[in-house]
Amino acid sequence: MRKLFCTSLILAINVLLVSLSYAADIQVITSGAFAEALKDLAPEYEKQSPNKVMISYGSSMGAAPDSIPSRLARGEHFDVLILAAPALDDFVKSGTVQSGTKLDLVASVMGAVVKAGAPKPDISTMNGLKLALLNAKSVAYSASASGVYLSTELFPKMGISEQMNKTARKIYSERVASVVARGDADLGFQQVSELLPIPGVDFIGELPPEAQKTVLFSAGITSDTQNLAASKDLIKYLASNKAVATIQKAGLKPVLPAIPW
């Protein structure tokens, strides 16, 4: 009996040592749309894996010092990038992200907020959205994917670019809702998942279908990663049914793609 116990104990220790030997600190940088979901998903992943998730944050695009392109250009190292799919595609083309490792995780839509307690304009129609934009003394929007769409596509389409040049501004290195919460803008636009977690604002709704821009956010593994297997394991978890409830709670729509590896 003692011999059997000792043998079982040795086997258990060996299994533990093997697990620990494969444990990795996965360096992940995510843009804002997936940030809140990842904060909650990382500890859940760590419960069923020896790996640890080390999270950094930055916008998908732009020249702000803390944007993902700027941080990579400075030589900062990450294993996994999570950002707007078009921006990730650029990193695949440049060789920064390994070809064949891109995986779409979520679809994200845009919405708007006002300061808590302020009147809520109706933006459920194109006319209502246009009136809200023109009546606001100041408008804030993201310097990342959603803001680029607003300033280069939606405002021109609505014929209000000239007016928006006077009252609207891009927000760098900060959540748009934080700017609205402290009263520095009357109306703020960003991905819904980036607006909902911020206190001091009231969410007034998603953009109407005619104005909406759904953006896919995807994960990819960098070409210089030393943790390929662990990085793949994390992405598989983020793209699985296990992550669905947390992703939906964060205001995102899970994609649940087929896993290519």
Side-chain angles (χ1 to χ4, degrees), residues 82-149:
I82 302 175
L83 65 162
L88 186 62
D89 287 337
D90 289 340
F91 286 126
V92 174
K93 291 175 185 175
S94 71
T96 302
V97 168
Q98 295 183 41
S99 178
T101 65
K102 176 190 173 186
L103 201 64
D104 295 332
L105 299 179
V106 296
S108 176
V109 297
M110 297 173 59
V113 293
V114 295
K115 186 177 176 62
K120 298 180 182 179
D122 181 3
I123 64 167
S124 62
T125 65
M126 287 297 286
N127 187 57
L129 175 62
K130 184 174 183 178
L131 288 174
L133 284 163
L134 293 177
N135 289 334
K137 293 180 180 179
S138 55
V139 176
Y141 61 91
S142 168
S144 194
S146 61
V148 171
Y149 163 69

Side-chain angles (χ1 to χ4, degrees), residues 128-177:
L129 175 62
K130 184 174 183 178
L131 288 174
L133 284 163
L134 293 177
N135 289 334
K137 293 180 180 179
S138 55
V139 176
Y141 61 91
S142 168
S144 194
S146 61
V148 171
Y149 163 69
L150 286 176
S151 59
T152 64
E153 295 185 46
L154 185 59
F155 293 164
K157 175 184 174 181
M158 299 174 74
I160 60 173
S161 291
E162 185 176 345
Q163 297 92 321
M164 290 299 97
N165 286 337
K166 298 175 182 177
T167 60
R169 63 187 177 99
K170 289 182 181 180
I171 304 302
Y172 294 88
S173 304
E174 187 178 17
R175 294 286 180 87
V176 168

Side-chain angles (χ1 to χ4, degrees), residues 42-260:
E44 292 303 314
Y45 168 75
E46 290 172 351
K47 289 178 183 177
Q48 51 93 66
S49 168
N51 302 321
K52 298 297 179 183
V53 183
M54 319 301 288
I55 307 175
S56 299
Y57 305 96
S59 57
S60 293
M61 55 189 70
D66 60 349
S67 72
I68 294 175
S70 294
R71 296 182 70 167
L72 290 172
R74 287 198 300 270
E76 292 191 46
H77 167 76
F78 303 99
D79 299 300
V80 176
L81 310 184
I82 302 175
L83 65 162
L88 186 62
D89 287 337
D90 289 340
F91 286 126
V92 174
K93 291 175 185 175
S94 71
T96 302
V97 168
Q98 295 183 41
S99 178
T101 65
K102 176 190 173 186
L103 201 64
D104 295 332
L105 299 179
V106 296
S108 176
V109 297
M110 297 173 59
V113 293
V114 295
K115 186 177 176 62
K120 298 180 182 179
D122 181 3
I123 64 167
S124 62
T125 65
M126 287 297 286
N127 187 57
L129 175 62
K130 184 174 183 178
L131 288 174
L133 284 163
L134 293 177
N135 289 334
K137 293 180 180 179
S138 55
V139 176
Y141 61 91
S142 168
S144 194
S146 61
V148 171
Y149 163 69
L150 286 176
S151 59
T152 64
E153 295 185 46
L154 185 59
F155 293 164
K157 175 184 174 181
M158 299 174 74
I160 60 173
S161 291
E162 185 176 345
Q163 297 92 321
M164 290 299 97
N165 286 337
K166 298 175 182 177
T167 60
R169 63 187 177 99
K170 289 182 181 180
I171 304 302
Y172 294 88
S173 304
E174 187 178 17
R175 294 286 180 87
V176 168
S178 297
V179 175
V180 176
R182 63 172 180 262
D184 289 345
D186 297 332
L187 192 60
F189 294 87
Q190 201 164 14
Q191 307 299 133
V192 171
S193 61
E194 297 187 66
L195 298 172
L196 294 181
I198 307 301
V201 295
D202 288 333
F203 180 66
I204 60 174
E206 299 177 2
L207 270 59
E210 303 92 329
Q212 188 60 260
K213 176 79 168 183
T214 299
V215 179
L216 287 175
F217 283 80
S218 311
I221 302 172
T222 57
S223 296
D224 62 350
T225 181
Q226 300 299 310
N227 298 309
L228 181 60
S231 297
K232 285 183 175 181
D233 187 59
L234 171 63
I235 293 174
K236 285 170 65 176
Y237 179 85
L238 298 177
S240 72
N241 280 305
K242 296 176 182 178
V244 166
T246 301
I247 286 172
Q248 290 175 330
K249 181 182 176 183
L252 297 163
K253 305 179 192 307
V255 173
L256 295 176
I259 307 297

